[in-house]
RNA sequence: GCCCCCGUAGCUCAGUGGAUAGAGCACCGGCCUCCGGAGCCGGAAGCGUAGGUUCGAUUCCUACCGGGGGUACCA
């Protein structure tokens, strides 16, 4: 957890003073950890160091706390200190401290809350997410990884790290051939087998390819020539998709039905189209990847073979029954994994290893994988593979997110084999919007299974928390707009007397503004986007209360003697509102949820 | 069988060792002469069970109960 004293010089100073007080009181040295008390009556910061010290010092915690209080020299920004409960030492910050917060927010602007790190503290993080196979449209669950991965990336950047967003495209191998074969068979009007991809989108692809390349494309076979630089264009209209048949036994006969090279070629084209479509959908959700990493290119460049050779040379492999195994059990995996099948073809796991090597060689200091719970079984072998390749254990981080239940009116949307109707992500985004979709996913912990009820999300859209937050933002804008229209003389922040902000609602709001740096640091460290959405809701709530209780612009019907005071107070409140807008805007920017001027 | 996640208010979820466990929805009662009522204020209601560690456990450990997912020379 980020230490508050690393983020705030005042806290750092206070930590020093506590340490000195311990020394002056003849107590053992200890790290004074600070936390924010839940109850406002308990002050702004508390340390539990007296409770921790009770045992080693063999004195009652309250005595120790009192000794600290007796010996401490308070920094100027700390107004008071007191002893409470079993031995808490509570500190209350001065009003001047919070006035400074408002000034800092306005001065730093978009940078407020973000962390600057020294070169030594700064990581170069690669975060891989979504990476859905480009053999079909994205389902709703992928939306969760899109929203969460993207916001986490933004959060890590805000925490001062370098970040690369990456999508691994499985565009090689057996599944591409099978995908291409599915398209060809559909184009020829032939029956599909159980292990073929099926769905309206396969028909769409077949139709499109026919339009672009001609009817012969599906019948000529191996002899056909494909110009490498042929532009692939055309709108893909994917709507209702029948679920592809899965889990079927591998049917060797299916391989003979379409010439392998033709199937592979068509599959390649289909994959490119699907990948473009996926990129479009993700873009509609505000997600832009820095790297689309092609598995096929990696194979073409011999990186997979090279990696297998490296592993063999390092003595991490052995042969058995004609297959080459990687000894992943050495590194805690349940069983050793096949790198090269007995028929000589490398497995996908071999490609995963090569991909690891490539990523690590790109000078990242940390590799984050965001995977769904359905891939939980891969974690052991991925970690083992990374270690086999010499990637330090603590540099690879695999986050498992629980799955999304797609519901309609409280009933699960069936995903049965043939008849099941699957709702794609682009349909959802189109129907409920990117902001609602993202926010819904970002609000929940990765450890929680999310229910995404199409009816509820649409029906409740007007009472969705995202609107509560956006409404607060729009409301502040409206206020500032109105101030301008009325010619309210808000002057410069430097001239405003922020000392006038003493009402409870004002204090609460300013304190909330002061929390942002810590919230960002903790959320980034815990990889927990829900910390930010909660904070956004709390901040919006604080603003709404402030707005309700505190008149900002002076009323029209004031006597002259009241007017001057009201305007003075109004100026201070105006700048508080400006700071609130800045902070709320900064949070929404990290979440990549829009901050509307009006709604 | 083994592995992972979850069990907190009527419902959906926050809270990864601290003080009186918090939001939203739903329910009940208040607040519009003036800046956006998509708002504000108040009320009722909860840590699956049993042990353990600790000054202190919703949080960490063990067992059990209940729900979800995973356990391929698949891709």
């Amino acid at each position: 957890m980020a230490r508050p004293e690393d983020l705030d010089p005042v806290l750092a100073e206070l930590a020093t003073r506590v340490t000195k007080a311990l020394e002056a009181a003849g107590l053992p040295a200890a790290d004074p950890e600070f936390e924010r008390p839940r109850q406002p009556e308990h002050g702004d910061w508390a340390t539990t160091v007296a409770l921790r010290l009770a045992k080693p010092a063999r004195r009652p915690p309250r005595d120790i706390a009192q000794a600290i209080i007796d010996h401490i020299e308070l920094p100027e920004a700390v107004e008071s200190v007191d002893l409470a409960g079993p031995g808490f030492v509570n500190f209350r910050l001065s009003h001047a401290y919070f006035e400074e917060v408002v000034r800092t927010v306005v001065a730093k602007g978009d940078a407020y809350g973000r962390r600057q790190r020294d070169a030594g503290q700064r990581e170069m993080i690669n975060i891989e997410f979504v990476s859905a196979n480009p053999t079909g449209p994205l389902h709703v669950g992928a939306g969760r990884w899109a929203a969460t991965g993207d916001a986490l990336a933004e959060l890590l950047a805000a925490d001062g790290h370098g970040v690369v967003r990456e999508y691994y495209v499985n565009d090689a191998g057996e599944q591409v051939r099978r995908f291409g074969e599915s398209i060809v068979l559909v184009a020829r009007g032939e029956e599909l087998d159980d292990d073929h991809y099926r769905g309206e989108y396969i028909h769409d692809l077949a139709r499109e390819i026919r339009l672009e390349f001609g009817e012969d494309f599906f019948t000529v076979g191996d002899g056909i020539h494909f110009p490498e630089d042929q532009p692939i264009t055309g709108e893909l209209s994917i709507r209702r998709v029948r679920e592809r048949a899965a889990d079927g036994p591998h049917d060797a006969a299916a391989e003979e039905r379409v010439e392998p090279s033709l199937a592979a070629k068509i599959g390649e084209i289909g994959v490119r189209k699907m990948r473009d479509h996926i990129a479009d959908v993700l873009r509609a959700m505000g997600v832009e990847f820095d790297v689309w990493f092609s598995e096929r290119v990696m194979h073409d460049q011999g990186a997979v073979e090279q990696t297998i050779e490296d592993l063999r040379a390092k003595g991490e492999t052995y042969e058995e029954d004609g297959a080459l195994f990687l000894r992943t059990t050495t590194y805690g995996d349940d069983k050793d994994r096949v790198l090269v099948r007995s028929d000589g073809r490398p497995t996908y796991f071999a490609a995963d290893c090569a991909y690891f090597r490539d990523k690590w060689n790109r000078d990242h200091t940390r590799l984050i994988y965001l995977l769904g719970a359905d891939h939980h079984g891969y974690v052991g072998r991925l970690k083992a593979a990374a270690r086999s390749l010499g990637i330090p254990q603590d540099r690879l981080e695999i986050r498992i997110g629980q799955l999304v239940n797609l519901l309609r009116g409280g009933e699960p949307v069936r995903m049965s084999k043939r008849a099941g109707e699957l709702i794609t992500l682009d349909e959802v985004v189109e129907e409920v919007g990117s902001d609602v979709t993202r926010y819904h996913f970002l609000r929940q912990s990765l450890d929680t299974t999310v229910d995404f009820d199409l009816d509820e999300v649409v029906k409740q859209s007007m009472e969705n928390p995202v609107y509560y937050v956006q409404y607060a933002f729009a409301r502040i804008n409206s206020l500032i707009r109105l101030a301008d229209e009325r010619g309210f003389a808000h002057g410069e922040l430097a001239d405003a007397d922020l000392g006038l902000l003493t009402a409870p609602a004002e204090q609460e709001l300013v304190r909330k503004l002061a929390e942002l740096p810590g919230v960002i640091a903790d959320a980034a460290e815990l990889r927990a986007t829900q910390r930010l959405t909660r904070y956004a809701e709390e901040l919006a709530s604080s603003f709404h209360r402030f707005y309700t209780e505190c008149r900002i612009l002076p009323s029209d019907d004031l006597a002259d003697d009241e007017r001057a005071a009201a305007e003075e107070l109004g100026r201070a409140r105006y700048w508080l509102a400006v700071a609130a807008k800045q902070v709320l805007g900064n949070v929404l920017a990290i979440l990549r949820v829009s901050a509307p001027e009006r709604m």
Side-chain angles (χ1 to χ4, degrees), chain A residues 259-545:
Chain A
E259 301 79 347
S261 65
L262 175 64
K265 209 68 182 171
I266 300 278
E268 197 178 307
I269 292 167
V271 158
R272 279 167 67 182
K273 286 177 175 295
M274 282 313 308
R275 194 202 55 195
D276 289 348
H277 171 72
I278 287 168
D280 287 345
V281 176
L282 293 173
R283 203 173 295 118
M285 278 187 72
V287 183
E288 299 268 4
F289 282 89
D290 301 303
V291 177
W292 291 83
F293 192 91
S294 164
E295 183 194 357
R296 185 172 55 81
V297 169
M298 201 168 60
H299 278 283
D300 291 350
Q301 293 175 343
V304 177
E305 284 173 35
Q306 187 58 53
T307 302
I308 291 169
E309 272 319 302
D310 286 359
L311 288 168
R312 197 203 296 269
K314 289 177 72 177
E316 302 282 355
T317 64
Y318 64 91
E319 284 188 42
E320 192 175 293
D321 301 333
L324 186 71
F325 284 75
L326 181 66
R327 213 183 301 275
T328 52
T329 48
T330 314
Y331 305 105
D333 195 12
D334 302 332
K335 58 167 103 166
D336 293 331
R337 306 291 170 172
V338 175
L339 284 172
V340 183
R341 298 180 182 93
S342 46
D343 64 5
R345 296 176 359 228
T347 60
Y348 270 73
F349 177 62
D352 288 338
C353 292
Y355 181 40
F356 259 129
R357 201 178 68 141
D358 188 281
K359 260 189 193 171
W360 189 244
N361 288 342
R362 278 184 270 151
D363 292 329
H364 296 113
T365 60
R366 178 176 297 275
L367 306 180
I368 298 180
Y369 281 70
L370 183 54
L371 300 178
D374 51 342
H375 288 83
H376 149 255
Y378 296 109
V379 173
R381 81 193 69 166
L382 282 177
K383 285 187 169 172
R387 289 184 68 187
S388 305
L389 290 158
I391 299 171
Q393 200 172 4
D394 63 339
R395 301 286 93 186
L396 170 66
E397 190 180 313
I398 301 177
R399 317 296 299 200
I400 298 296
Q402 298 304 306
L403 302 178
V404 177
N405 292 325
L406 188 61
L407 308 174
R408 187 192 288 283
E411 294 298 314
V413 175
R414 293 274 163 220
M415 304 212 198
S416 65
K417 289 203 171 160
R418 304 240 168 169
E421 177 189 52
L422 198 143
I423 308 295
T424 59
L425 179 59
D426 62 318
E427 291 176 284
V428 171
V429 172
E430 195 173 301
E431 192 170 344
V432 306
S434 172
D435 286 345
V436 169
T437 307
R438 284 186 72 115
Y439 201 88
H440 184 78
F441 288 132
L442 295 178
R443 262 188 120 222
Q444 270 164 285
S445 153
L446 275 178
D447 289 338
T448 306
T449 303
V450 172
D451 287 335
F452 199 101
D453 192 313
L454 292 162
D455 290 347
E456 288 300 303
V457 169
V458 174
K459 190 175 70 184
Q460 291 189 350
S461 65
M462 291 316 253
E463 55 202 33
N464 190 305
V466 71
Y467 292 107
Y468 178 79
V469 173
Q470 290 182 319
Y471 177 64
F473 189 84
R475 213 177 190 190
I476 304 174
N477 269 294
S478 165
L479 175 67
I480 291 171
R481 200 185 310 124
L482 187 71
D484 288 344
E485 283 168 15
R486 289 194 187 175
F488 175 65
H490 50 74
E492 296 299 318
L493 171 56
D495 303 324
D497 182 4
L498 300 178
L500 297 172
L501 301 173
T502 55
E506 293 163 338
Q507 303 261 341
E508 176 192 306
L509 179 55
V510 181
R511 279 175 164 75
K512 196 52 76 179
L513 300 182
E515 286 178 25
L516 181 65
V519 170
I520 289 178
D522 288 345
E525 200 163 320
L526 296 168
R527 281 61 162 135
T529 58
Q530 76 276 11
R531 296 250 171 172
L532 258 197
T533 55
R534 294 282 158 178
Y535 174 74
E537 289 161 36
E538 289 165 16
L539 177 57
S541 171
S542 294
F543 176 79
H544 283 311
R545 189 157 96 91

Side-chain angles (χ1 to χ4, degrees), chain A residues 213-226 262 265:
Chain A
F213 299 93
E215 188 66 42
D216 290 348
F217 210 78
F218 298 106
T219 52
V220 173
D222 289 2
I224 201 159
H225 173 68
F226 306 97
L262 175 64
K265 209 68 182 171

Side-chain angles (χ1 to χ4, degrees), chain A residues 75-119:
Chain A
E76 202 170 333
V78 177
E79 185 180 274
S80 65
V81 57
D82 51 32
L83 166 60
F88 293 96
V89 180
N90 294 336
F91 300 95
R92 191 172 296 279
L93 296 168
S94 69
H95 199 274
Y97 173 88
F98 290 106
E99 293 169 32
E100 195 53 36
V101 168
V102 175
R103 295 184 204 285
T104 302
V105 169
V106 174
K108 287 197 171 178
D110 293 346
Y112 176 70
R114 302 179 78 91
R115 196 166 179 179
Q116 293 286 340
R117 286 178 184 269
D118 302 334

